[in-house]
Amino acid sequence: MRRREFITLLGAAAAWPLVAQAEAYPARPVRIMVGYAAGGSNDIVARLIGQWLSERLGQPFIIENRPGAGTNIATEAVVTAASDGYTLLIVNPANAVNATLYPRLNFVFLRDIAPVASMIRQPLIMLVNPSVPAKTIPEFIDYAKANPGKINMASGGNGSINHVAGELFKMMAGVNLVHVPYRGAGPALADLLGGQVDLLFGGMASSVDHVRAGKLRALGVTTATRSQALPDIPAVSEFVPGYEASDWIGLGAPKGTPAEIRDVLHNEVNAGLADSKFRARVSDLGGAVFPGSPADFAKLIAEETEKWAKVIKFAGVKAD
C-alpha cells in the first residue's frame, strides 16, 4: 500500500469513533444544568427544551437545578464535566455578567463553554409602584433628577440582570437611584407590589399579569423594540437612545464536545423553535424564539460580556 493511501486510511480510522459516537448520540440520559431554583424562566425553558429533545432523540434529558453563586456552581459543574454531550448548561446573561463580577473564577466562560444554540429572548419591564407619580419614562427621569438618591431600585441581587439593566439605565439617563438588592427577583417583586421599593426592572413572565391588573405601572420594555406581549408599552430606547437590556437563554456544552454532537443538539433545538406549540409556549412567557447559528450565539455572548463589563466597572458593582 502506498504511503499516501495508508495515511488517508489511518485518518479515516481515527475519525470513525467520533462519527459513530454522533450517530449513536444520545445513548443514555443527558443532564441539563440550570443555575437557578425550579420555577423561574430559565428552569421553565430548560424543561420545555428538555421535553422536546427527549421526544426527538429518544433519551431522557434530565433537568438538574444547581442554584448558587450567581449560576457559577452550575457553570463550573459543566466546565469540569466530560466533553461527551451528556452534560449541558442553560446559558443566560448571568454568564456574561459574571466574567467581570467574579474576578477569581476557576474557568473562563468564553473559553470553556461551547455555544450550542440560542433559544429565547425576552425583555425586562421597567416597573414602578403606582404611588410613583411618573407615568412615562421622561416624567420618571425628571422625577428622579428632582429627587436624587431618594428613589429605591430593587433587584434580584448584585449583578443580576435586573440590577445591571437598572445600572445601565442610571448611567445612560444620568439619574441617581438607590439600589436595594434582594435574594432573588421574587422577593423584590413582592416588595414593589407592597410599595416598600419604587422601581424594578422585572421579568416579563412574572410581571405582565400585575401590569394588566393595574397593580404595577409599566413605563417601558428594555429590548430595542416594543414587545408583542405589551405592544402599547414603549421601548426604553425611544426615550434613552441606544438603551437595550434583554434576558436571553440558550444551551451550551463543555469545550471539546465533538462538533457532530453539538450539531445534533443545535439542529433539534432549532426544530423545536420552529414548532408552533413550542413557540406559543414561549410567547406565553412573554418571550420570542431566538434561533441562530452557534457562531451567532458565541458573538452575542462575547458582546454581552463586553457590554456588562463596562457597566459593572462604571457602577462599581461587587458580588454579594
Side-chain angles (χ1 to χ4, degrees), residues 48-61 268 275:
L48 282 174
I49 201 64
Q51 181 180 355
W52 173 266
L53 292 172
S54 296
E55 293 171 355
R56 297 277 292 193
L57 295 174
Q59 288 288 344
F61 278 70
E268 292 300 343
D275 179 74

Side-chain angles (χ1 to χ4, degrees), residues 143-152 175-179 198:
Y143 177 67
K145 288 183 176 180
N147 296 275
K150 295 181 181 179
I151 299 172
N152 293 325
V175 294
N176 178 8
L177 309 173
V178 178
H179 176 226
D198 305 303

Side-chain angles (χ1 to χ4, degrees), residues 156-247:
N158 287 341
S160 61
I161 183 61
N162 32 54
H163 178 204
V164 295
E167 293 294 346
L168 179 63
F169 178 82
K170 287 168 59 178
M171 185 173 73
M172 296 184 70
V175 294
N176 178 8
L177 309 173
V178 178
H179 176 226
V180 182
Y182 285 78
R183 293 286 183 183
L189 181 63
D191 270 11
L192 181 69
L193 286 162
Q196 284 80 21
V197 289
D198 305 303
L199 170 70
L200 171 68
F201 286 80
M204 177 72 77
S206 59
S207 307
V208 67
D209 288 343
H210 298 303
V211 172
R212 290 169 177 161
K215 296 179 180 179
L216 295 174
R217 182 182 302 134
L219 299 184
V221 295
T222 63
T223 39
T225 58
R226 297 191 181 200
S227 167
Q228 292 182 356
L230 293 170
D232 296 330
I233 304 301
V236 175
S237 62
E238 294 176 34
F239 307 101
V240 183
Y243 181 91
E244 192 279 335
S246 56
D247 194 4

Side-chain angles (χ1 to χ4, degrees), residues 63-296:
I63 309 308
E64 188 169 324
N65 299 91
R66 292 250 191 125
T71 74
N72 289 325
I73 293 173
T75 301
E76 187 165 354
V78 177
V79 166
T80 58
S83 302
D84 55 8
Y86 288 94
T87 307
L88 307 175
L89 178 69
I90 289 294
V91 181
N92 61 75
N95 299 115
V97 169
N98 289 350
T100 303
L101 187 65
Y102 292 86
R104 296 182 182 85
L105 292 173
N106 295 323
F107 57 86
V108 176
F109 189 85
L110 291 172
R111 179 195 67 198
D112 295 330
I113 293 292
V116 172
S118 54
M119 296 190 292
I120 78 164
R121 196 168 198 165
Q122 54 191 347
L124 302 174
I125 313 176
M126 185 177 175
L127 301 160
V128 293
N129 184 276
S131 64
V132 175
K135 292 181 170 58
T136 66
I137 290 173
E139 288 180 2
F140 180 85
I141 292 173
D142 290 343
Y143 177 67
K145 288 183 176 180
N147 296 275
K150 295 181 181 179
I151 299 172
N152 293 325
M153 180 188 76
S155 84
N158 287 341
S160 61
I161 183 61
N162 32 54
H163 178 204
V164 295
E167 293 294 346
L168 179 63
F169 178 82
K170 287 168 59 178
M171 185 173 73
M172 296 184 70
V175 294
N176 178 8
L177 309 173
V178 178
H179 176 226
V180 182
Y182 285 78
R183 293 286 183 183
L189 181 63
D191 270 11
L192 181 69
L193 286 162
Q196 284 80 21
V197 289
D198 305 303
L199 170 70
L200 171 68
F201 286 80
M204 177 72 77
S206 59
S207 307
V208 67
D209 288 343
H210 298 303
V211 172
R212 290 169 177 161
K215 296 179 180 179
L216 295 174
R217 182 182 302 134
L219 299 184
V221 295
T222 63
T223 39
T225 58
R226 297 191 181 200
S227 167
Q228 292 182 356
L230 293 170
D232 296 330
I233 304 301
V236 175
S237 62
E238 294 176 34
F239 307 101
V240 183
Y243 181 91
E244 192 279 335
S246 56
D247 194 4
W248 42 267
I249 300 173
L251 197 65
K255 72 173 183 179
T257 300
E260 294 84 356
I261 289 176
R262 286 186 279 119
D263 286 345
V264 168
L265 291 165
H266 175 262
N267 292 337
E268 292 300 343
V269 167
N270 275 0
L273 301 185
D275 179 74
S276 58
K277 291 182 179 178
F278 191 98
R279 293 169 74 97
R281 186 69 184 92
V282 169
S283 181
D284 289 342
L285 296 172
V289 296
F290 183 44
S293 68
D296 293 334

